Amino acid sequence: MSRPMNFVMISPHFPTNFETFAVRLHEAGFHTLGIADTPYHELSDTLRSHLTEYYKVDNMEDYDQVYRAVAYFAHKYGRIDRIESHNEYWLELDAKLRTDFNVFGYKNEDMLSIKTKRQMKEIFRDHGLKVAAGDVFHTDDEARALVQKLGFPVIIKPNSGVGASDTYKIKSTQELEEFFDYKTNGVEYIMEEFIDGDIVTFDGLTDHEGNIVFYSSLEYSEAVLDTVEKDGDMFYYVPREISKELVRLGEICVEAFTVKERFFHFEFFRVKATKELMALEVNCRPPGGLTIDMWNYANDFDVFREYANIVKDNLFEAEILRPYNVVYISRKANQHYVHSLDDIWAKFGDKIISIQSVPGVFAKIMGENGILARTTTLDEMRELVQYAQAKS
C-alpha cells in the first residue's frame, strides 16, 4: 500500500472559504500539514478537524522558521509532495520552499515571469498577444520621459503587486508631480498607457501536465479602481457563455506560463471601441473573494474535491454544463437603498444563494454586505442587480 501524500498548506485559514481545500484533501487521504502564525485554538473547528498536524510559527515572514516547520514535517511524515498556499501574497514563499525541498510546482526561477508585470508583457508579446504600451521607471525623470511617449492619462502601479493597491490613474503633469511625493519608497513602479476597456478574465484549473480541465470567466460592472475612487456599488459575475476568442487567448497564456496542476486567473482588457482583447496580467492562483465558490454554484460541482483528485490521481471527473450565471452584488453602508435585504430575499429568494457581511478589510471594494445569486439568464441577473442597488 502506498503512503499518503504529504501536502503542506501555507496559511490554510486564509481566506476563510479556502479552508475547504484542507477538508477535501483530508477526505481524499492526504496528510494535511498546516503552517501559519495563528494560534491553534483560534483556527476554526472545521480546519482543526481536517488538519493532520499544525505547526505554529511566530512570524511567517521569517523564512528560517517556516523552513524548519517544513523540515519537521518531512522528518516525521517523509518526503513532502506538495507545498501550496493558493495565495498571491505567499507565491514567492511557496516557490522558495519548493526549491529547497525539491517539490513539484513553481520554483524560484519561475517567479520573475509570474510576479512582475514587465516580464509578463514580454511573454505576452512573444506569444502574439496584444498588450498596453508601458515600461518600468526608476527615477522621476524616467517617469516624466515615459509619460511624454505614452500621453495622459496613464496608469502607474507596482511592477510586482496584487490587486488595485498602490495603483493610480494619472491625468496631468500636476498629478504626476504629486505622485512623486506620495509614492512608496523602494517599490519599482510600471507606467502604462490608459486603455478604455472593461476587464474580463479567463480563470480555471489545469492538470499535472498543464491541460485545462476547467475554465470560467469573470465580468465586472466597472474597474476596481473606479469602485475605490467613488466608494460606490459594484457587481461581478461568472457568465454561462464565454467567448471563443477569450478561451483561445487563455489557452495560449496557460501554455506560455507553464501552468501545471494549478489554478489560474488571467486578466484581459476588452477595448470598448474595438471589442478586441488585450492581455493585462497573469495570476497563477485562484481568483480572490468568493469566486471559487461561485464556480461551484455556477456548475453544481465541487472544485475543491476536483482539485484534490487532480493532485492525487490527475483525475477531473465533473461534467461542466454551466447551467447558471452567478453574480456577486455589493451593498455599501454609506448608500441609501430603496429596498432592504429582507425585500431582496422576499422578491428573489429562489435565486439568492446567500447574503453575508463582509470583513472590513474588503468592504471598500466588496461592500459591507454581499449578495450572492444565480440565474439562468442575464436579463434575470440584471433585474436582480438593479433592484438590489436601486437608490432612494
Side-chain angles (χ1 to χ4, degrees), residues 268-302:
F268 296 84
F269 284 120
R270 185 185 287 128
V271 181
K272 286 182 179 174
T274 63
K275 301 302 180 191
E276 73 175 335
L277 291 167
M278 294 176 70
L280 177 56
E281 65 181 71
V282 304
N283 300 277
C284 293
R285 42 84 181 168
L290 297 172
T291 306
I292 199 163
D293 303 285
M294 292 166 72
W295 291 348
N296 286 341
Y297 292 118
N299 296 282
D300 277 335
F301 76 158
D302 185 336

PDB file of all heavy atoms in Angstrom, residues 268-302:
ATOM      1  N   PHE A 268      -7.711  40.341 -18.876  1.00  0.00           N
ATOM      2  CA  PHE A 268      -7.642  40.966 -20.194  1.00  0.00           C
ATOM      3  C   PHE A 268      -8.466  42.248 -20.182  1.00  0.00           C
ATOM      4  O   PHE A 268      -9.441  42.355 -19.437  1.00  0.00           O
ATOM      5  CB  PHE A 268      -8.215  40.037 -21.274  1.00  0.00           C
ATOM      6  CG  PHE A 268      -7.458  38.759 -21.488  1.00  0.00           C
ATOM      7  CD1 PHE A 268      -7.696  37.651 -20.677  1.00  0.00           C
ATOM      8  CD2 PHE A 268      -6.520  38.649 -22.497  1.00  0.00           C
ATOM      9  CE1 PHE A 268      -7.006  36.465 -20.867  1.00  0.00           C
ATOM     10  CE2 PHE A 268      -5.821  37.463 -22.697  1.00  0.00           C
ATOM     11  CZ  PHE A 268      -6.066  36.377 -21.881  1.00  0.00           C
ATOM     12  N   PHE A 269      -8.083  43.191 -21.052  1.00  0.00           N
ATOM     13  CA  PHE A 269      -8.957  44.321 -21.374  1.00  0.00           C
ATOM     14  C   PHE A 269      -9.801  43.932 -22.578  1.00  0.00           C
ATOM     15  O   PHE A 269      -9.275  43.392 -23.559  1.00  0.00           O
ATOM     16  CB  PHE A 269      -8.151  45.563 -21.776  1.00  0.00           C
ATOM     17  CG  PHE A 269      -7.509  46.294 -20.646  1.00  0.00           C
ATOM     18  CD1 PHE A 269      -6.129  46.446 -20.607  1.00  0.00           C
ATOM     19  CD2 PHE A 269      -8.264  46.865 -19.629  1.00  0.00           C
ATOM     20  CE1 PHE A 269      -5.528  47.141 -19.579  1.00  0.00           C
ATOM     21  CE2 PHE A 269      -7.664  47.554 -18.592  1.00  0.00           C
ATOM     22  CZ  PHE A 269      -6.292  47.695 -18.569  1.00  0.00           C
ATOM     23  N   ARG A 270     -11.098  44.233 -22.529  1.00  0.00           N
ATOM     24  CA  ARG A 270     -11.904  44.215 -23.746  1.00  0.00           C
ATOM     25  C   ARG A 270     -12.078  45.674 -24.145  1.00  0.00           C
ATOM     26  O   ARG A 270     -12.819  46.427 -23.513  1.00  0.00           O
ATOM     27  CB  ARG A 270     -13.259  43.546 -23.523  1.00  0.00           C
ATOM     28  CG  ARG A 270     -14.059  43.429 -24.832  1.00  0.00           C
ATOM     29  CD  ARG A 270     -15.454  42.881 -24.610  1.00  0.00           C
ATOM     30  NE  ARG A 270     -15.463  41.468 -24.305  1.00  0.00           N
ATOM     31  CZ  ARG A 270     -16.082  40.938 -23.254  1.00  0.00           C
ATOM     32  NH1 ARG A 270     -16.716  41.716 -22.382  1.00  0.00           N
ATOM     33  NH2 ARG A 270     -16.062  39.633 -23.054  1.00  0.00           N
ATOM     34  N   VAL A 271     -11.333  46.100 -25.162  1.00  0.00           N
ATOM     35  CA  VAL A 271     -11.300  47.512 -25.556  1.00  0.00           C
ATOM     36  C   VAL A 271     -12.690  47.944 -26.008  1.00  0.00           C
ATOM     37  O   VAL A 271     -13.328  47.281 -26.828  1.00  0.00           O
ATOM     38  CB  VAL A 271     -10.269  47.733 -26.681  1.00  0.00           C
ATOM     39  CG1 VAL A 271     -10.209  49.204 -27.066  1.00  0.00           C
ATOM     40  CG2 VAL A 271      -8.893  47.232 -26.249  1.00  0.00           C
ATOM     41  N   LYS A 272     -13.179  49.059 -25.434  1.00  0.00           N
ATOM     42  CA  LYS A 272     -14.562  49.475 -25.701  1.00  0.00           C
ATOM     43  C   LYS A 272     -14.786  49.825 -27.167  1.00  0.00           C
ATOM     44  O   LYS A 272     -15.808  49.484 -27.749  1.00  0.00           O
ATOM     45  CB  LYS A 272     -14.931  50.656 -24.801  1.00  0.00           C
ATOM     46  CG  LYS A 272     -15.160  50.245 -23.357  1.00  0.00           C
ATOM     47  CD  LYS A 272     -15.579  51.402 -22.482  1.00  0.00           C
ATOM     48  CE  LYS A 272     -15.814  50.929 -21.048  1.00  0.00           C
ATOM     49  NZ  LYS A 272     -16.093  52.015 -20.116  1.00  0.00           N
ATOM     50  N   ALA A 273     -13.812  50.494 -27.775  1.00  0.00           N
ATOM     51  CA  ALA A 273     -14.007  50.969 -29.148  1.00  0.00           C
ATOM     52  C   ALA A 273     -13.989  49.830 -30.162  1.00  0.00           C
ATOM     53  O   ALA A 273     -14.747  49.846 -31.138  1.00  0.00           O
ATOM     54  CB  ALA A 273     -12.933  51.998 -29.496  1.00  0.00           C
ATOM     55  N   THR A 274     -13.140  48.835 -29.953  1.00  0.00           N
ATOM     56  CA  THR A 274     -12.934  47.795 -30.971  1.00  0.00           C
ATOM     57  C   THR A 274     -13.399  46.406 -30.548  1.00  0.00           C
ATOM     58  O   THR A 274     -13.515  45.506 -31.377  1.00  0.00           O
ATOM     59  CB  THR A 274     -11.435  47.690 -31.323  1.00  0.00           C
ATOM     60  OG1 THR A 274     -10.715  47.277 -30.137  1.00  0.00           O
ATOM     61  CG2 THR A 274     -10.892  49.026 -31.807  1.00  0.00           C
ATOM     62  N   LYS A 275     -13.637  46.229 -29.224  1.00  0.00           N
ATOM     63  CA  LYS A 275     -14.020  44.926 -28.642  1.00  0.00           C
ATOM     64  C   LYS A 275     -12.883  43.910 -28.674  1.00  0.00           C
ATOM     65  O   LYS A 275     -13.068  42.739 -28.316  1.00  0.00           O
ATOM     66  CB  LYS A 275     -15.257  44.314 -29.329  1.00  0.00           C
ATOM     67  CG  LYS A 275     -16.494  45.193 -29.262  1.00  0.00           C
ATOM     68  CD  LYS A 275     -16.884  45.502 -27.836  1.00  0.00           C
ATOM     69  CE  LYS A 275     -18.123  46.385 -27.760  1.00  0.00           C
ATOM     70  NZ  LYS A 275     -18.358  46.910 -26.402  1.00  0.00           N
ATOM     71  N   GLU A 276     -11.691  44.308 -29.141  1.00  0.00           N
ATOM     72  CA  GLU A 276     -10.580  43.348 -29.152  1.00  0.00           C
ATOM     73  C   GLU A 276     -10.077  43.119 -27.730  1.00  0.00           C
ATOM     74  O   GLU A 276     -10.249  43.962 -26.840  1.00  0.00           O
ATOM     75  CB  GLU A 276      -9.439  43.840 -30.057  1.00  0.00           C
ATOM     76  CG  GLU A 276      -8.631  44.992 -29.500  1.00  0.00           C
ATOM     77  CD  GLU A 276      -7.439  45.356 -30.376  1.00  0.00           C
ATOM     78  OE1 GLU A 276      -6.959  44.490 -31.126  1.00  0.00           O
ATOM     79  OE2 GLU A 276      -6.982  46.508 -30.284  1.00  0.00           O
ATOM     80  N   LEU A 277      -9.441  41.981 -27.515  1.00  0.00           N
ATOM     81  CA  LEU A 277      -8.916  41.624 -26.193  1.00  0.00           C
ATOM     82  C   LEU A 277      -7.423  41.902 -26.126  1.00  0.00           C
ATOM     83  O   LEU A 277      -6.672  41.540 -27.032  1.00  0.00           O
ATOM     84  CB  LEU A 277      -9.181  40.142 -25.911  1.00  0.00           C
ATOM     85  CG  LEU A 277     -10.647  39.760 -25.699  1.00  0.00           C
ATOM     86  CD1 LEU A 277     -10.817  38.248 -25.754  1.00  0.00           C
ATOM     87  CD2 LEU A 277     -11.170  40.310 -24.368  1.00  0.00           C
ATOM     88  N   MET A 278      -7.002  42.552 -25.050  1.00  0.00           N
ATOM     89  CA  MET A 278      -5.585  42.825 -24.802  1.00  0.00           C
ATOM     90  C   MET A 278      -5.199  42.182 -23.472  1.00  0.00           C
ATOM     91  O   MET A 278      -5.915  42.313 -22.476  1.00  0.00           O
ATOM     92  CB  MET A 278      -5.315  44.331 -24.723  1.00  0.00           C
ATOM     93  CG  MET A 278      -5.543  45.073 -26.007  1.00  0.00           C
ATOM     94  SD  MET A 278      -5.297  46.866 -25.791  1.00  0.00           S
ATOM     95  CE  MET A 278      -3.526  46.945 -25.553  1.00  0.00           C
ATOM     96  N   ALA A 279      -4.068  41.500 -23.438  1.00  0.00           N
ATOM     97  CA  ALA A 279      -3.615  40.832 -22.216  1.00  0.00           C
ATOM     98  C   ALA A 279      -3.155  41.872 -21.195  1.00  0.00           C
ATOM     99  O   ALA A 279      -2.428  42.800 -21.523  1.00  0.00           O
ATOM    100  CB  ALA A 279      -2.481  39.871 -22.539  1.00  0.00           C
ATOM    101  N   LEU A 280      -3.591  41.699 -19.953  1.00  0.00           N
ATOM    102  CA  LEU A 280      -3.235  42.637 -18.884  1.00  0.00           C
ATOM    103  C   LEU A 280      -2.229  42.023 -17.917  1.00  0.00           C
ATOM    104  O   LEU A 280      -1.116  42.503 -17.765  1.00  0.00           O
ATOM    105  CB  LEU A 280      -4.503  43.078 -18.138  1.00  0.00           C
ATOM    106  CG  LEU A 280      -4.331  44.003 -16.937  1.00  0.00           C
ATOM    107  CD1 LEU A 280      -3.566  45.272 -17.309  1.00  0.00           C
ATOM    108  CD2 LEU A 280      -5.687  44.344 -16.329  1.00  0.00           C
ATOM    109  N   GLU A 281      -2.615  40.937 -17.234  1.00  0.00           N
ATOM    110  CA  GLU A 281      -1.661  40.273 -16.351  1.00  0.00           C
ATOM    111  C   GLU A 281      -2.120  38.869 -16.017  1.00  0.00           C
ATOM    112  O   GLU A 281      -3.282  38.515 -16.209  1.00  0.00           O
ATOM    113  CB  GLU A 281      -1.424  41.079 -15.072  1.00  0.00           C
ATOM    114  CG  GLU A 281      -2.608  41.234 -14.160  1.00  0.00           C
ATOM    115  CD  GLU A 281      -2.251  42.086 -12.929  1.00  0.00           C
ATOM    116  OE1 GLU A 281      -2.054  43.302 -13.065  1.00  0.00           O
ATOM    117  OE2 GLU A 281      -2.183  41.489 -11.834  1.00  0.00           O
ATOM    118  N   VAL A 282      -1.178  38.079 -15.513  1.00  0.00           N
ATOM    119  CA  VAL A 282      -1.497  36.711 -15.111  1.00  0.00           C
ATOM    120  C   VAL A 282      -1.401  36.602 -13.595  1.00  0.00           C
ATOM    121  O   VAL A 282      -0.587  37.269 -12.956  1.00  0.00           O
ATOM    122  CB  VAL A 282      -0.551  35.667 -15.750  1.00  0.00           C
ATOM    123  CG1 VAL A 282      -0.569  35.781 -17.258  1.00  0.00           C
ATOM    124  CG2 VAL A 282       0.865  35.786 -15.228  1.00  0.00           C
ATOM    125  N   ASN A 283      -2.258  35.781 -13.039  1.00  0.00           N
ATOM    126  CA  ASN A 283      -2.201  35.436 -11.619  1.00  0.00           C
ATOM    127  C   ASN A 283      -2.289  33.917 -11.536  1.00  0.00           C
ATOM    128  O   ASN A 283      -3.295  33.341 -11.943  1.00  0.00           O
ATOM    129  CB  ASN A 283      -3.363  36.069 -10.852  1.00  0.00           C
ATOM    130  CG  ASN A 283      -3.357  37.592 -10.959  1.00  0.00           C
ATOM    131  OD1 ASN A 283      -2.659  38.270 -10.236  1.00  0.00           O
ATOM    132  ND2 ASN A 283      -4.150  38.115 -11.886  1.00  0.00           N
ATOM    133  N   CYS A 284      -1.243  33.298 -11.043  1.00  0.00           N
ATOM    134  CA  CYS A 284      -1.196  31.837 -11.027  1.00  0.00           C
ATOM    135  C   CYS A 284      -1.677  31.322  -9.680  1.00  0.00           C
ATOM    136  O   CYS A 284      -0.936  30.690  -8.923  1.00  0.00           O
ATOM    137  CB  CYS A 284       0.199  31.355 -11.375  1.00  0.00           C
ATOM    138  SG  CYS A 284       0.616  31.743 -13.090  1.00  0.00           S
ATOM    139  N   ARG A 285      -2.935  31.642  -9.408  1.00  0.00           N
ATOM    140  CA  ARG A 285      -3.622  31.221  -8.179  1.00  0.00           C
ATOM    141  C   ARG A 285      -5.110  31.418  -8.427  1.00  0.00           C
ATOM    142  O   ARG A 285      -5.502  32.017  -9.425  1.00  0.00           O
ATOM    143  CB  ARG A 285      -3.122  32.011  -6.968  1.00  0.00           C
ATOM    144  CG  ARG A 285      -2.920  33.512  -7.182  1.00  0.00           C
ATOM    145  CD  ARG A 285      -4.171  34.324  -7.032  1.00  0.00           C
ATOM    146  NE  ARG A 285      -3.987  35.741  -7.250  1.00  0.00           N
ATOM    147  CZ  ARG A 285      -4.981  36.590  -7.393  1.00  0.00           C
ATOM    148  NH1 ARG A 285      -6.231  36.172  -7.368  1.00  0.00           N
ATOM    149  NH2 ARG A 285      -4.770  37.870  -7.607  1.00  0.00           N
ATOM    150  N   PRO A 286      -5.968  30.925  -7.520  1.00  0.00           N
ATOM    151  CA  PRO A 286      -7.408  31.096  -7.756  1.00  0.00           C
ATOM    152  C   PRO A 286      -7.789  32.579  -7.710  1.00  0.00           C
ATOM    153  O   PRO A 286      -7.121  33.377  -7.034  1.00  0.00           O
ATOM    154  CB  PRO A 286      -8.054  30.346  -6.584  1.00  0.00           C
ATOM    155  CG  PRO A 286      -6.986  29.496  -5.985  1.00  0.00           C
ATOM    156  CD  PRO A 286      -5.684  30.172  -6.284  1.00  0.00           C
ATOM    157  N   PRO A 287      -8.865  32.979  -8.400  1.00  0.00           N
ATOM    158  CA  PRO A 287      -9.380  34.338  -8.247  1.00  0.00           C
ATOM    159  C   PRO A 287      -9.757  34.586  -6.789  1.00  0.00           C
ATOM    160  O   PRO A 287     -10.059  33.647  -6.048  1.00  0.00           O
ATOM    161  CB  PRO A 287     -10.622  34.359  -9.138  1.00  0.00           C
ATOM    162  CG  PRO A 287     -10.519  33.161 -10.006  1.00  0.00           C
ATOM    163  CD  PRO A 287      -9.692  32.159  -9.284  1.00  0.00           C
ATOM    164  N   GLY A 288      -9.732  35.854  -6.388  1.00  0.00           N
ATOM    165  CA  GLY A 288      -9.991  36.192  -4.995  1.00  0.00           C
ATOM    166  C   GLY A 288     -11.469  36.219  -4.644  1.00  0.00           C
ATOM    167  O   GLY A 288     -12.340  35.865  -5.441  1.00  0.00           O
ATOM    168  N   GLY A 289     -11.717  36.658  -3.412  1.00  0.00           N
ATOM    169  CA  GLY A 289     -13.096  36.780  -2.938  1.00  0.00           C
ATOM    170  C   GLY A 289     -13.808  35.444  -2.922  1.00  0.00           C
ATOM    171  O   GLY A 289     -13.241  34.407  -2.568  1.00  0.00           O
ATOM    172  N   LEU A 290     -15.061  35.479  -3.322  1.00  0.00           N
ATOM    173  CA  LEU A 290     -15.895  34.277  -3.297  1.00  0.00           C
ATOM    174  C   LEU A 290     -15.939  33.560  -4.648  1.00  0.00           C
ATOM    175  O   LEU A 290     -16.756  32.657  -4.850  1.00  0.00           O
ATOM    176  CB  LEU A 290     -17.325  34.651  -2.888  1.00  0.00           C
ATOM    177  CG  LEU A 290     -17.485  35.240  -1.483  1.00  0.00           C
ATOM    178  CD1 LEU A 290     -18.901  35.742  -1.278  1.00  0.00           C
ATOM    179  CD2 LEU A 290     -17.133  34.206  -0.424  1.00  0.00           C
ATOM    180  N   THR A 291     -15.035  33.941  -5.560  1.00  0.00           N
ATOM    181  CA  THR A 291     -15.152  33.450  -6.935  1.00  0.00           C
ATOM    182  C   THR A 291     -15.099  31.933  -7.021  1.00  0.00           C
ATOM    183  O   THR A 291     -15.855  31.305  -7.774  1.00  0.00           O
ATOM    184  CB  THR A 291     -14.043  34.055  -7.820  1.00  0.00           C
ATOM    185  OG1 THR A 291     -14.092  35.472  -7.710  1.00  0.00           O
ATOM    186  CG2 THR A 291     -14.234  33.660  -9.270  1.00  0.00           C
ATOM    187  N   ILE A 292     -14.222  31.319  -6.250  1.00  0.00           N
ATOM    188  CA  ILE A 292     -14.078  29.861  -6.343  1.00  0.00           C
ATOM    189  C   ILE A 292     -15.377  29.168  -5.894  1.00  0.00           C
ATOM    190  O   ILE A 292     -15.771  28.145  -6.435  1.00  0.00           O
ATOM    191  CB  ILE A 292     -12.834  29.398  -5.559  1.00  0.00           C
ATOM    192  CG1 ILE A 292     -12.405  28.007  -6.010  1.00  0.00           C
ATOM    193  CG2 ILE A 292     -13.014  29.503  -4.077  1.00  0.00           C
ATOM    194  CD1 ILE A 292     -10.987  27.645  -5.600  1.00  0.00           C
ATOM    195  N   ASP A 293     -16.078  29.776  -4.916  1.00  0.00           N
ATOM    196  CA  ASP A 293     -17.389  29.253  -4.514  1.00  0.00           C
ATOM    197  C   ASP A 293     -18.426  29.519  -5.611  1.00  0.00           C
ATOM    198  O   ASP A 293     -19.327  28.688  -5.841  1.00  0.00           O
ATOM    199  CB  ASP A 293     -17.842  29.919  -3.216  1.00  0.00           C
ATOM    200  CG  ASP A 293     -16.838  29.724  -2.097  1.00  0.00           C
ATOM    201  OD1 ASP A 293     -16.771  28.622  -1.543  1.00  0.00           O
ATOM    202  OD2 ASP A 293     -16.095  30.680  -1.792  1.00  0.00           O
ATOM    203  N   MET A 294     -18.300  30.659  -6.289  1.00  0.00           N
ATOM    204  CA  MET A 294     -19.217  30.984  -7.384  1.00  0.00           C
ATOM    205  C   MET A 294     -19.116  29.948  -8.506  1.00  0.00           C
ATOM    206  O   MET A 294     -20.117  29.608  -9.141  1.00  0.00           O
ATOM    207  CB  MET A 294     -18.940  32.399  -7.896  1.00  0.00           C
ATOM    208  CG  MET A 294     -19.296  33.485  -6.875  1.00  0.00           C
ATOM    209  SD  MET A 294     -18.627  35.131  -7.272  1.00  0.00           S
ATOM    210  CE  MET A 294     -19.659  35.615  -8.664  1.00  0.00           C
ATOM    211  N   TRP A 295     -17.898  29.450  -8.756  1.00  0.00           N
ATOM    212  CA  TRP A 295     -17.750  28.380  -9.757  1.00  0.00           C
ATOM    213  C   TRP A 295     -18.618  27.182  -9.383  1.00  0.00           C
ATOM    214  O   TRP A 295     -19.267  26.589 -10.232  1.00  0.00           O
ATOM    215  CB  TRP A 295     -16.300  27.907  -9.826  1.00  0.00           C
ATOM    216  CG  TRP A 295     -15.321  28.856 -10.387  1.00  0.00           C
ATOM    217  CD1 TRP A 295     -15.572  30.013 -11.061  1.00  0.00           C
ATOM    218  CD2 TRP A 295     -13.897  28.717 -10.328  1.00  0.00           C
ATOM    219  NE1 TRP A 295     -14.390  30.611 -11.433  1.00  0.00           N
ATOM    220  CE2 TRP A 295     -13.348  29.830 -10.991  1.00  0.00           C
ATOM    221  CE3 TRP A 295     -13.043  27.780  -9.782  1.00  0.00           C
ATOM    222  CZ2 TRP A 295     -11.975  30.022 -11.126  1.00  0.00           C
ATOM    223  CZ3 TRP A 295     -11.674  27.958  -9.906  1.00  0.00           C
ATOM    224  CH2 TRP A 295     -11.136  29.066 -10.570  1.00  0.00           C
ATOM    225  N   ASN A 296     -18.566  26.835  -8.094  1.00  0.00           N
ATOM    226  CA  ASN A 296     -19.340  25.669  -7.643  1.00  0.00           C
ATOM    227  C   ASN A 296     -20.830  25.871  -7.874  1.00  0.00           C
ATOM    228  O   ASN A 296     -21.529  24.957  -8.344  1.00  0.00           O
ATOM    229  CB  ASN A 296     -19.074  25.399  -6.162  1.00  0.00           C
ATOM    230  CG  ASN A 296     -17.703  24.794  -5.917  1.00  0.00           C
ATOM    231  OD1 ASN A 296     -17.084  24.248  -6.818  1.00  0.00           O
ATOM    232  ND2 ASN A 296     -17.222  24.896  -4.691  1.00  0.00           N
ATOM    233  N   TYR A 297     -21.330  27.065  -7.551  1.00  0.00           N
ATOM    234  CA  TYR A 297     -22.756  27.347  -7.741  1.00  0.00           C
ATOM    235  C   TYR A 297     -23.121  27.441  -9.226  1.00  0.00           C
ATOM    236  O   TYR A 297     -24.236  27.086  -9.623  1.00  0.00           O
ATOM    237  CB  TYR A 297     -23.144  28.642  -7.028  1.00  0.00           C
ATOM    238  CG  TYR A 297     -23.085  28.546  -5.528  1.00  0.00           C
ATOM    239  CD1 TYR A 297     -22.216  29.356  -4.795  1.00  0.00           C
ATOM    240  CD2 TYR A 297     -23.882  27.639  -4.836  1.00  0.00           C
ATOM    241  CE1 TYR A 297     -22.153  29.273  -3.404  1.00  0.00           C
ATOM    242  CE2 TYR A 297     -23.823  27.544  -3.447  1.00  0.00           C
ATOM    243  CZ  TYR A 297     -22.954  28.357  -2.740  1.00  0.00           C
ATOM    244  OH  TYR A 297     -22.885  28.268  -1.376  1.00  0.00           O
ATOM    245  N   ALA A 298     -22.193  27.921 -10.040  1.00  0.00           N
ATOM    246  CA  ALA A 298     -22.459  28.069 -11.477  1.00  0.00           C
ATOM    247  C   ALA A 298     -22.509  26.718 -12.184  1.00  0.00           C
ATOM    248  O   ALA A 298     -23.161  26.571 -13.218  1.00  0.00           O
ATOM    249  CB  ALA A 298     -21.396  28.949 -12.128  1.00  0.00           C
ATOM    250  N   ASN A 299     -21.817  25.732 -11.619  1.00  0.00           N
ATOM    251  CA  ASN A 299     -21.674  24.448 -12.309  1.00  0.00           C
ATOM    252  C   ASN A 299     -22.236  23.252 -11.546  1.00  0.00           C
ATOM    253  O   ASN A 299     -22.203  22.130 -12.049  1.00  0.00           O
ATOM    254  CB  ASN A 299     -20.186  24.186 -12.595  1.00  0.00           C
ATOM    255  CG  ASN A 299     -19.597  25.203 -13.543  1.00  0.00           C
ATOM    256  OD1 ASN A 299     -19.795  25.126 -14.747  1.00  0.00           O
ATOM    257  ND2 ASN A 299     -18.878  26.186 -13.011  1.00  0.00           N
ATOM    258  N   ASP A 300     -22.745  23.508 -10.321  1.00  0.00           N
ATOM    259  CA  ASP A 300     -23.230  22.405  -9.481  1.00  0.00           C
ATOM    260  C   ASP A 300     -22.176  21.307  -9.336  1.00  0.00           C
ATOM    261  O   ASP A 300     -22.443  20.114  -9.564  1.00  0.00           O
ATOM    262  CB  ASP A 300     -24.539  21.824 -10.043  1.00  0.00           C
ATOM    263  CG  ASP A 300     -25.759  22.650  -9.610  1.00  0.00           C
ATOM    264  OD1 ASP A 300     -25.676  23.311  -8.564  1.00  0.00           O
ATOM    265  OD2 ASP A 300     -26.768  22.637 -10.339  1.00  0.00           O
ATOM    266  N   PHE A 301     -20.959  21.711  -8.992  1.00  0.00           N
ATOM    267  CA  PHE A 301     -19.898  20.747  -8.718  1.00  0.00           C
ATOM    268  C   PHE A 301     -19.091  21.233  -7.521  1.00  0.00           C
ATOM    269  O   PHE A 301     -19.447  22.227  -6.895  1.00  0.00           O
ATOM    270  CB  PHE A 301     -19.025  20.504  -9.957  1.00  0.00           C
ATOM    271  CG  PHE A 301     -18.027  21.590 -10.309  1.00  0.00           C
ATOM    272  CD1 PHE A 301     -16.917  21.293 -11.096  1.00  0.00           C
ATOM    273  CD2 PHE A 301     -18.178  22.897  -9.885  1.00  0.00           C
ATOM    274  CE1 PHE A 301     -15.990  22.274 -11.435  1.00  0.00           C
ATOM    275  CE2 PHE A 301     -17.251  23.885 -10.228  1.00  0.00           C
ATOM    276  CZ  PHE A 301     -16.151  23.562 -11.000  1.00  0.00           C
ATOM    277  N   ASP A 302     -18.047  20.498  -7.165  1.00  0.00           N
ATOM    278  CA  ASP A 302     -17.205  20.856  -6.024  1.00  0.00           C
ATOM    279  C   ASP A 302     -15.762  20.946  -6.512  1.00  0.00           C
ATOM    280  O   ASP A 302     -15.068  19.936  -6.614  1.00  0.00           O
ATOM    281  CB  ASP A 302     -17.342  19.807  -4.915  1.00  0.00           C
ATOM    282  CG  ASP A 302     -16.591  20.188  -3.643  1.00  0.00           C
ATOM    283  OD1 ASP A 302     -15.630  20.969  -3.720  1.00  0.00           O
ATOM    284  OD2 ASP A 302     -16.954  19.671  -2.565  1.00  0.00           O
TER     285      ASP A 302
END
